[in-house]
Amino acid sequence: KAGVTQTPRYLIKTRGQQVTLSCSPISGHRSVSWYQQTPGQGLQFLFEYFSETQRNKGNFPGRFSGRQFSNSRSEMNVSTLELGDSALYLCASSLEGHDTDTQYFGPGTRLTVL
Amino acid sequence: AQSVTQPDIHITVSEGASLELRCNYSYGATPYLFWYVQSPGQGLQLLLKYFSGDTLVQGIKGFEAEFKRSQSSFNLRKPSVHWSDAAEYFCAVGAGGGGNKLTFGTGTQLKVEL
């Protein structure tokens, strides 16, 4: 079974632009979570989607948004990019998003904001 | 709110030596605890998890962890480290209540000397 895939793997943007990142979960997984990883703040939870609905949200500004499609694929969008948004964005999928479900992580999208 | 502390930012061990990575958590109820490993340029891979039952948990790659409620700890151990174990290790706690939201520690970078 294929793992979690994220596209693109690397992205360079300039301040003020917006960006969309994509995540394809493992087949059959219905929950998709997004995390931001930076050297200063570490790994931080952004949001989780299940059945096309945002079920959990972390403490990030409204510039960070996401959505999930009927096939469980998910996208996250960051508008009005800031230098501090430079990070590795990780997507994780799990079967149903229960606390006991294992989350499987993708390789991440490395976003650089200039 | 839950939190995770990994007191050691860097650890260096010799190949073949034993390893213990420390993790302390703060959570009001019975925690859902995880250890993940991240190699350079990769996403996170689950090593093991604890939800309930036997407090000594076996994981992949020869790792184990012991849950100690009285000490609020979930330390990761390996009896004999291999050079390929060099990576960053993250302890995480689940939020409970569904939604797969994980709170991560700051990570411990493991270096293995040959």
Side-chain angles (χ1 to χ4, degrees):
Chain A
K1 194 180 272 191
V4 177
T5 58
Q6 293 186 243
T7 56
R9 290 292 309 276
Y10 302 90
L11 208 47
I12 299 175
K13 292 286 187 179
T14 56
R15 278 181 300 173
Q17 288 186 309
Q18 73 165 16
V19 66
T20 299
L21 312 181
S22 180
C23 172
S24 293
I26 292 172
S27 178
H29 285 195
R30 298 169 63 194
S31 169
V32 174
S33 298
W34 289 89
Y35 293 82
Q36 181 196 63
Q37 186 177 23
T38 60
Q41 298 299 316
L43 279 154
Q44 292 185 286
F45 174 80
L46 279 157
F47 29 64
E48 186 242 359
Y49 285 86
F50 179 79
S51 290
E52 304 178 63
T53 300
Q54 187 181 89
R55 191 164 59 174
N56 258 309
K57 189 177 189 307
N59 189 26
F60 278 82
R63 299 185 298 107
F64 292 82
S65 63
R67 60 177 175 169
Q68 186 180 34
F69 301 95
S70 58
N71 62 357
S72 294
R73 191 176 70 84
S74 176
E75 291 181 344
M76 68 162 282
N77 184 77
V78 187
S79 62
T80 319
L81 284 166
E82 301 177 0
L83 295 178
D85 297 333
S86 294
L88 181 68
Y89 290 88
L90 294 165
C91 164
S93 76
S94 67
L95 275 169
E96 299 284 334
H98 297 315
D99 296 314
T100 53
D101 286 349
T102 295
Q103 291 191 60
Y104 295 87
F105 283 80
T109 294
R110 172 75 63 185
L111 172 64
T112 302
V113 182
L114 303 175
Chain B
Q2 66 273 17
S3 65
V4 177
T5 301
Q6 292 180 250
D8 304 305
I9 299 174
H10 298 280
I11 281 186
T12 300
V13 299
S14 299
E15 189 175 38
S18 64
L19 171 69
E20 182 168 27
L21 302 182
R22 295 184 291 165
C23 172
N24 293 96
Y25 68 90
S26 172
Y27 187 64
T30 298
Y32 302 92
L33 295 163
F34 307 80
W35 274 100
Y36 281 88
V37 60
Q38 185 177 35
S39 298
Q42 303 293 316
L44 302 172
Q45 182 183 24
L46 180 71
L47 289 174
L48 45 79
K49 59 186 179 182
Y50 171 80
F51 300 137
S52 63
D54 193 348
T55 56
L56 186 62
V57 181
Q58 301 298 320
I60 62 172
K61 305 184 180 186
F63 285 94
E64 67 177 26
E66 186 171 12
F67 171 63
K68 293 185 177 180
R69 183 186 299 276
S70 61
Q71 298 177 20
S72 297
S73 69
F74 188 56
N75 295 347
L76 182 71
R77 301 193 295 248
K78 187 170 185 178
S80 178
V81 170
H82 188 262
W83 64 267
S84 61
D85 293 325
E88 190 155 22
Y89 292 80
F90 293 92
C91 181
V93 62
N100 255 187
K101 176 180 177 180
L102 294 177
T103 297
F104 285 88
T106 50
T108 297
Q109 186 71 49
L110 173 65
K111 180 180 176 182
V112 180
E113 290 182 334
L114 301 175

